[in-house]
Amino acid sequence: MHWSRLPSLAALRAFAAYAETGSVSAAGDTLNVSHAAISQQLRALEAHLGLALLDRSGRKMALTAEGDTLARTLRESFGQIATTIEALTGADADRPLLISTTPTFASGWLLPRLASFRSEHPEINLMIDPSADVRGLEPGGIDMALRYGNGSWPGLQSELFVRSPIVVVAAPGLVGDRPIESPADLSHLHWLQEYGTNEATSWFAQFGIERDSGLGFTSLPGNMMLEAARQGQGVAILARVFAESDIAAGRLRLLFEDTRSKGYWIVTRPGVPRPPLKAFLRWLQRNAEKT
């Protein structure tokens, strides 16, 4: 690395603080310096790079395209530095461990097993965010996510945790025992899918089939969707791991299975995990082997 070509750390910190707060005065308060010092550092940074990072033509300064690119890089880089320092020093050890996952995974897999983690680590406080929305993993915020997919989340680390194909299931009372050979055989039925996802729509699109819009679909939290499927309210599409016991017991009939390699992934930011996260990751990996 050509260290001599890099701008001063003070200038980069000033720019990152301005980009985060949107104000020279607020950036100065954040760094405990005057707003004049922030302005001086911003101009020094632009002079060093030979680029306009701020558009000063309007009543309020705004980031240029180059400034926005640099701001995003600095936010990620300073965030990783802060996370690593906190992990190494234990400064962030008392903050609750914040985990984001889908309602289905939270109720169907995580909560039934969580007592064992609590018994091993009673000193660690947990916060579970059961949401279908994909939350950002920011320093000081969400520590990790448990998400369904193929493991591709740019800028983040992912590790396959529970492999599970997508399946299409329905109560025997809804579809009977008649042969169902094509997804088109189900297009006239009502569909159930987890709120915030589009598995059913995407699954039909994969086969080039349009569903009958007259019967439509209902989006529900994952645990409610599974119960609605048991009651025969519609055809459900979900990860097989959550329907396994119902299929085995005959409460749900397995109609189709997507065998492509997908599953639930442990998603974290790059860098050294802080101690509570490290303990939770070890616990997850042990339990994954039993799943």
Side-chain angles (χ1 to χ4, degrees), residues 32 36 91 102 122 140 144 151-152 193 273 287-288:
N32 198 28
T102 63
M144 64 166 294
S152 178
Q193 64 185 29
N287 279 269

Side-chain angles (χ1 to χ4, degrees), residues 199-217:
E199 279 92 346
T201 303
S202 299
W203 189 76
F204 269 99
Q206 174 187 338
F207 292 95
I209 299 169
E210 292 187 6
R211 285 183 298 169
D212 182 349
S213 60
L215 293 179
F217 65 90

Side-chain angles (χ1 to χ4, degrees), residues 267-287:
V267 185
T268 57
R269 294 186 299 274
V272 180
R274 62 194 185 98
L277 176 56
K278 188 179 296 184
F280 193 77
L281 291 174
R282 285 196 300 265
W283 175 82
L284 277 177
Q285 289 158 354
R286 289 200 310 272
N287 279 269

Side-chain angles (χ1 to χ4, degrees), residues 169-178 180 186 188-192 228-236 253 255:
V169 296
L174 178 67
V175 294
D177 57 2
R178 62 186 175 87
I180 297 177
L186 302 171
H188 66 287
L189 295 173
H190 188 76
W191 278 73
L192 307 168
R230 295 184 188 113
Q231 295 177 11
Q233 296 185 28
V235 179
R253 178 183 167 188
L255 304 175

Side-chain angles (χ1 to χ4, degrees), residues 54-209:
L54 297 164
D55 182 354
R56 297 175 173 85
S57 62
R59 296 182 60 184
K60 184 179 179 181
M61 288 196 304
L63 295 177
T64 62
E66 294 81 1
D68 183 65
T69 298
L70 179 60
R72 284 188 280 109
T73 298
L74 290 176
R75 182 169 60 249
E76 294 172 2
S77 301
F78 281 132
Q80 290 182 20
I81 292 171
T83 300
T84 300
I85 291 174
E86 289 167 351
L88 292 174
T89 62
D92 205 22
D94 293 334
R95 181 170 63 84
L97 184 65
L98 183 52
I99 301 162
S100 173
T101 189
T102 63
T104 305
F105 194 87
S107 62
W109 193 96
L110 186 58
L111 291 182
R113 295 168 172 81
L114 209 51
S116 69
F117 178 79
R118 300 294 312 134
S119 65
E120 292 179 26
H121 298 280
E123 77 285 359
I124 297 179
N125 295 317
L126 293 174
M127 294 179 66
I128 310 296
D129 175 25
S131 172
D133 297 330
V134 178
R135 309 288 198 197
L137 273 62
E138 301 292 342
I142 292 174
D143 291 282
M144 64 166 294
L146 295 164
R147 291 293 174 191
Y148 190 85
N150 59 9
S152 178
W153 288 276
L156 298 172
Q157 293 180 336
S158 57
E159 177 185 349
L160 184 60
F161 171 53
V162 176
R163 188 180 301 278
S164 179
I166 285 285
V167 295
V168 177
V169 296
L174 178 67
V175 294
D177 57 2
R178 62 186 175 87
I180 297 177
E181 300 175 352
S182 163
D185 296 335
L186 302 171
S187 61
H188 66 287
L189 295 173
H190 188 76
W191 278 73
L192 307 168
Q193 64 185 29
E194 184 171 5
Y195 181 78
T197 68
N198 63 350
E199 279 92 346
T201 303
S202 299
W203 189 76
F204 269 99
Q206 174 187 338
F207 292 95
I209 299 169

Side-chain angles (χ1 to χ4, degrees), residues 5-87:
R5 297 181 185 177
L6 293 176
S8 72
L9 179 59
L12 292 173
R13 290 177 66 212
F15 180 73
Y18 171 80
E20 181 179 277
T21 62
S23 162
V24 171
S25 297
D29 292 340
T30 299
L31 297 178
N32 198 28
V33 298
S34 68
H35 70 275
I38 295 293
S39 295
Q40 183 179 6
Q41 292 288 3
L42 295 179
R43 292 189 181 280
L45 180 60
E46 290 179 308
H48 181 97
L49 298 176
L51 294 171
L53 302 175
L54 297 164
D55 182 354
R56 297 175 173 85
S57 62
R59 296 182 60 184
K60 184 179 179 181
M61 288 196 304
L63 295 177
T64 62
E66 294 81 1
D68 183 65
T69 298
L70 179 60
R72 284 188 280 109
T73 298
L74 290 176
R75 182 169 60 249
E76 294 172 2
S77 301
F78 281 132
Q80 290 182 20
I81 292 171
T83 300
T84 300
I85 291 174
E86 289 167 351

